[in-house]
Amino acid sequence: MSLVLHCLTSFVAAAAFGILFNAPKRTLLQCGISGMLGWAAYYLLTAPFNTIFATVSATFIVGLVSLIFARVYKEPVILFSVSGIIPLVPGGLAYDAMRNFVENQYDIAVQLAAQAFLISGSIAIGLILSEVMNQIAKSIPIRRAPRL
Amino acid sequence: MEESLIPPDQEPVEICLLAGKIMLQSGAETYRVEDTMTRLAASLGLPGSQSYVTPTGIVFQSGEMQWAKLIRIVERTTDLEKVAAVNNVSRQLGNGTLSPEAAYQQLVRIDTSRHAYPLPLQIVAAAVASGCFTFMFGGVGKDLLPGILCGGLGFAAFLWLHRLVRVKFFAEFTASLMIGIVAYLLVQTQLGTTLDKIIIGSVMPLVPGLLITNAVRDLMAGHLVSGLSRGAEAFLTAFAIGAGIAVVFTVL
């Protein structure tokens, strides 16, 4: 039940971010889907594994889904990946870190900030993994029309 | 009429520069801008072109015998529709389904076009997204409404302030300060329960998510200057938001 709710809210949030980023109307649905899949993966994997692993896998999934959408709809990848990644950005951790800094609890604050930095890094790793997969897939010659 | 403004031998260069300028202003990654410009140049019959793109300017040279041209980029926003549109023009030009003149005119039209969604819709979208994020980050059902309210208000304030003063840092700082105060008041009046979750959710529309990912992608693609400067921009934004919230906590 809670997973369904999370899927629903993350879909709406990612699509709404598509509007903020002025994504074309025809791609808003796909933005929402990539956001939803990413968040669902993150939500399911955080508890059994840890946040870093969950973030890497979630961004990897967002990247793959965006690449597939980009191929199918012949649009740049960035269109679909950006809205999908937004929910994974460690805004909450950065906030907690800032709050602890203000409350003079520097040890906790630095810990949280380091964690936020690591998660940003893992978002990048996930994206790059999916891009590498894409390049490998491109170098394997299956019937593929020349395109941008 | 557009063609008469530029000398015929300069037109291919103008097309490349305009395309690059639009993409960079709309939040495309640096390597994608360079890639598109080189592709455009190749399909316009300018082999051996070189481009050097940073977030604040483009240097483009169409061949060894030509002058290098420079374009300064002052403001950058996120406008994915323009990125997609320029990408489309570039592809059509490569296929040969679009003439250079038509391509230039299309690019001019893309450059002058406005945000496709009206302002109220953007604010509503920010509000809805904030509400959803409040729930996703662990808020209870009761926090949904305060999240929506704070998020919409904060984003509207950001847009208004940014138009008013043109200093992005200040607009972000003040918007997040406002979010903090309103969220605190809503929790004090028992309308919301978890202050942290409401604030995190409402701040999300201001968070530089695209900047961070672009910074890392540029770094990985070997564009070290662009990656670092985009990273600095993202850090500045994050700092502005954090400082705004921090002020609320220090005062209260």
Side-chain angles (χ1 to χ4, degrees), chain B residues 151-164:
Chain B
L153 215 63
F155 191 70
F158 169 71
L159 288 179
W160 183 68
L161 284 164
H162 190 41
R163 192 168 295 176
L164 201 68

Side-chain angles (χ1 to χ4, degrees), chain A residues 6 9 12 16-17 20-23 25 39 74-76 78-79 82 86 95 98-99 102 124 128 131 148, chain B residues 39 78-81 84 87 91 115-117 122 125 128 132-133 136 196 199 204 210 216-217 220 246 249:
Chain A
H6 270 265
T9 46
V12 174
F17 256 94
L20 291 187
F21 289 152
N22 199 16
K25 246 181 217 123
W39 182 258
K74 291 189 180 156
E75 305 277 6
I78 189 177
L79 224 63
V82 168
I86 289 289
Y95 165 85
M98 203 65 203
R99 183 171 184 174
V102 173
I128 284 156
E131 232 150 84
L148 190 72
Chain B
R39 271 171 207 276
T78 306
D79 194 329
L80 296 178
E81 172 131 47
N87 195 45
R91 188 175 38 232
H115 207 288
Y117 302 98
Q122 287 180 51
V128 170
C132 290
F133 279 126
M136 280 154 71
D196 291 345
I199 291 179
M204 281 308 273
L210 179 67
V216 176
R217 286 176 140 192
M220 296 292 173
F249 280 121

